[in-house]
Amino acid sequence: MIPVNEPLILEKELEYVSDAIKTGWVSSEGKYLRLFEEKFAEKVGVKHAIAVNNGTSALILAVRALDLPAGSEIIMPSFTIISCALGAIYNDCVPVFVDADPETWCMKIDDIEAKITPQTKAIMPVHLYGHPVQMDELRAIAEKYRLMIIEDFAEAIGTQYKGQQCGGLGHIGAASFYANKAITTGEGGACVTNDDALAAKLRLGRNLAFVPETRFIHYELGNNYRMTNVQAAIGLAQVERFEEQVQKRMDMGRIYTELLQPYAQAGIIQLPVQKEYALNSYWVYGVVLNESMGIDARQCMQALAHAGVATRPFFYPLHLQPALKKYTWYQAEELPVSKWLYDYGFYFPSGLTLTEEQMRAVVMIFGQVITQLTGRVIA
Ligand SMILES: Cc1ncc(COP(=O)(O)O)c(C=O)c1O
């Protein structure tokens, strides 16, 4: 089976981890945390990075740091992971969904303004599968309506928007370091910001809102979202290879694009786009099947799995999530592009250990599967 996403763990990780363990710094104090935070902030081009235990916590913590009144609305794409909605809901806020752009698959900027109400307090753009959101247009809307921006760059570590790294383009950025991400700490995440006051709030919030002077007297409620020094030791080794790891996936994106071009030209699939404002980091290589072929993503993925190629489906849209329907704020609505992406989209093996030979095998098997399911033969 060609795996969908294997992390690249090398000797340096072992060296740093064993040092962290041997010195006894296994919890959330220690030099690796400080070094990892500094190095990650430097690579993203921001003043502060606050490491946490996962990307979902980073989103929840980021919203919490904004101190929004209960019932505040946060605009976000429907086509994203549940973690984005949790960021709002676990802070007594309301997620408001916008549809996706059919080309970039990121949130459709033109649909944002229609969703703004007096309760809207923030926007959460999500750079999906390595492609950036149109941040200038989004920032113009945020400024006009005085909205905060929480940028989810879990899937866009190393992605650039108009020459700038994603993550530092809003008020707070939230990253994930899960094993399939561009930089991994096993489980892990971070909030990044250029704002000193927000950084202080994020640090307080990840650590049960302990105030050093009064130790066990709490003036606000935080959470234990701390990353361990052992996780950060893995992260430091990873972030020292930041450019290499990002470049590897960009190269994979180029190779897949070349290999899959005949299928795109034959109208079988839609490939990721490369907009002039974007440097796509190709976190994963997603494609969307053309509806007219009469097969959906699940049929294709099942046949690929039978033939030894592991894939992953695209997100199930948030506006259709069963778990959200019980909330009083829930509104049934149609966001057709998000649903279309779920029905017809999936991604190919995209891990850092994947070889060009494996990519060629993946595309060859994909061709066989298309022939088997539709009868079409692509030369
Ligand atoms: C866009 C996006 N945001 C947030 C997360 C949540 O990160 P984590 O899995 O580290 O909680 C993920 C998932 O990995 C993600 O893809």
Side-chain angles (χ1 to χ4, degrees):
M1 196 77 169
I2 299 178
V4 74
N5 220 324
E6 232 174 27
L8 187 68
I9 307 291
L10 301 178
E11 279 301 312
K12 205 71 182 170
E13 279 85 332
L14 277 176
E15 186 192 313
Y16 290 168
V17 165
S18 84
D19 180 53
I21 291 172
K22 280 184 197 151
T23 54
W25 294 101
V26 292
S27 292
S28 55
E29 304 266 344
K31 73 171 182 190
Y32 288 105
L33 268 168
R34 184 177 46 78
L35 292 172
F36 175 58
E37 287 185 337
E38 279 173 14
K39 196 95 187 155
F40 187 67
E42 180 197 313
K43 297 295 182 191
V44 178
V46 289
K47 214 164 153 190
H48 307 278
I50 295 94
V52 294
N53 55 351
N54 59 62
T56 304
S57 300
L59 287 165
I60 298 169
L61 182 64
V63 175
R64 187 166 196 102
L66 301 182
D67 271 335
L68 303 177
S72 296
E73 293 171 7
I74 303 179
I75 295 182
M76 62 183 68
S78 172
F79 183 62
T80 183
I81 194 162
I82 193 76
S83 310
C84 299
L86 299 181
I89 296 165
Y90 290 165
N91 284 294
D92 298 326
C93 294
V94 173
V96 173
F97 306 121
V98 299
D99 208 356
D101 179 293
E103 265 195 311
T104 66
W105 313 334
C106 292
M107 72 197 295
K108 188 147 193 274
I109 302 295
D110 294 346
D111 290 0
I112 294 176
E113 264 187 290
K115 296 276 180 154
I116 293 176
T117 74
Q119 281 70 50
T120 308
K121 295 288 182 280
I123 313 184
M124 189 185 283
V126 184
H127 308 296
L128 281 167
Y129 305 129
H131 194 284
V133 174
Q134 282 167 284
M135 289 303 289
D136 279 350
E137 289 79 353
L138 186 134
R139 280 191 296 214
I141 297 170
E143 267 164 42
K144 183 171 164 191
Y145 295 93
R146 304 168 69 109
L147 307 176
M148 299 299 279
I149 299 174
I150 294 176
E151 200 189 338
D152 181 340
F153 72 119
E155 302 186 357
I157 295 171
T159 293
Q160 292 180 25
Y161 172 77
K162 295 190 177 174
Q164 281 185 294
Q165 290 285 333
C166 286
L169 306 172
H171 297 94
I172 303 177
S176 163
F177 305 126
Y178 184 67
N180 61 9
K181 297 302 189 295
I183 294 295
T184 187
T185 58
E187 294 281 354
C191 290
V192 299
T193 183
N194 285 309
D195 183 310
D196 296 344
L198 282 176
K201 269 189 161 295
L202 292 162
R203 290 213 168 86
L204 193 72
R206 82 166 160 191
N207 189 25
L208 294 172
F210 278 126
V211 189
E213 301 79 45
T214 60
R215 194 59 188 173
F216 289 113
I217 305 173
H218 298 265
Y219 298 95
E220 34 186 306
L221 298 182
N223 224 313
N224 178 355
Y225 288 156
R226 298 181 300 248
M227 176 184 273
T228 70
N229 195 47
V230 179
Q231 287 168 291
I234 303 175
L236 180 64
Q238 291 266 318
V239 83
E240 285 176 350
R241 299 196 303 268
F242 186 91
E243 287 79 8
E244 266 168 73
Q245 300 209 168
V246 169
Q247 189 59 49
K248 167 96 204 253
R249 278 198 165 96
M250 286 184 184
D251 292 343
M252 286 165 48
R254 184 180 39 77
I255 295 168
Y256 266 136
T257 300
E258 274 167 29
L259 295 173
L260 289 165
Q261 208 57 55
Y263 297 89
Q265 273 158 9
I268 286 172
I269 43 174
Q270 180 184 324
L271 304 180
V273 286
Q274 178 80 61
K275 292 286 185 189
E276 68 293 347
Y277 57 80
L279 185 64
N280 192 337
S281 63
Y282 290 103
W283 167 60
V284 293
Y285 201 91
V287 296
V288 185
L289 294 167
N290 195 321
E291 285 178 69
S292 66
M293 289 198 308
I295 52 165
D296 65 16
R298 263 131 291 277
Q299 288 167 286
C300 189
M301 289 167 59
Q302 208 173 32
L304 283 166
H306 266 290
V309 175
T311 56
R312 287 284 180 282
F314 273 10
F315 294 119
Y316 189 62
L318 296 184
H319 76 284
L320 300 175
Q321 290 290 351
L324 301 186
K325 293 186 179 169
K326 65 176 183 211
Y327 289 94
T328 49
W329 45 257
Y330 180 82
Q331 282 175 17
E333 60 184 328
E334 296 229 337
L335 301 174
V337 180
S338 304
K339 180 64 167 51
W340 163 75
L341 286 168
Y342 170 73
D343 286 338
Y344 296 100
F346 67 93
Y347 65 82
F348 283 119
S350 304
L352 283 172
T353 60
L354 201 70
T355 63
E356 182 165 346
E357 206 183 344
Q358 283 176 313
M359 277 183 260
R360 289 186 183 280
V362 165
V363 174
M364 192 192 70
I365 294 168
F366 174 67
Q368 290 166 352
V369 161
I370 290 296
T371 305
Q372 175 197 324
L373 295 176
T374 69
R376 291 193 59 178
V377 180
I378 305 301

